[in-house]
Amino acid sequence: MMLCKKHLGTTLAIVGAVVIVLCSLWGFAIPADVRELHADLLRISVLGWSGMNVTSFILGIVQWAIWGWVIATVFGAIGTWCEKSCSQH
């Protein structure tokens, strides 16, 4: 089980980084009348996002990867707690 928890953090960090890359690429493919909504969603999800530029792109990758690690840590802690509480009964 411990090995799985280690891989979960890496997996969710990679998924987060890939998702922000896809979201950034998607911003160039969508129609012009929807781009402002897309930009607003990116502003909400990436602290410091300032537009389709390299700085915002790197910030997004780093932040979404960190969120992947945070979520994996929370899931791991919940899983450990559940294992301990179930084994006591």
Side-chain angles (χ1 to χ4, degrees), residues 45-84:
S45 64
V46 178
L47 298 174
W49 191 85
S50 61
M52 293 295 204
N53 55 48
V54 174
T55 304
S56 295
F57 183 69
I58 292 171
L59 278 172
I61 289 174
V62 170
Q63 288 176 35
W64 283 39
I66 290 170
W67 274 114
W69 279 102
V70 168
I71 291 168
T73 302
V74 170
F75 283 170
I78 291 170
T80 302
W81 178 77
C82 287
E83 285 178 29
K84 288 180 182 178

Side-chain angles (χ1 to χ4, degrees), residues 8-56:
L8 181 62
T10 303
T11 302
L12 290 180
I14 291 170
V15 167
V18 168
V19 166
I20 194 65
V21 168
L22 293 175
C23 284
S24 296
L25 294 174
W26 181 251
F28 295 110
I30 58 177
D33 56 342
V34 191
R35 286 190 183 145
E36 190 58 37
L37 173 61
H38 185 261
D40 288 342
L41 293 172
L42 285 171
R43 270 187 214 95
I44 290 169
S45 64
V46 178
L47 298 174
W49 191 85
S50 61
M52 293 295 204
N53 55 48
V54 174
T55 304
S56 295

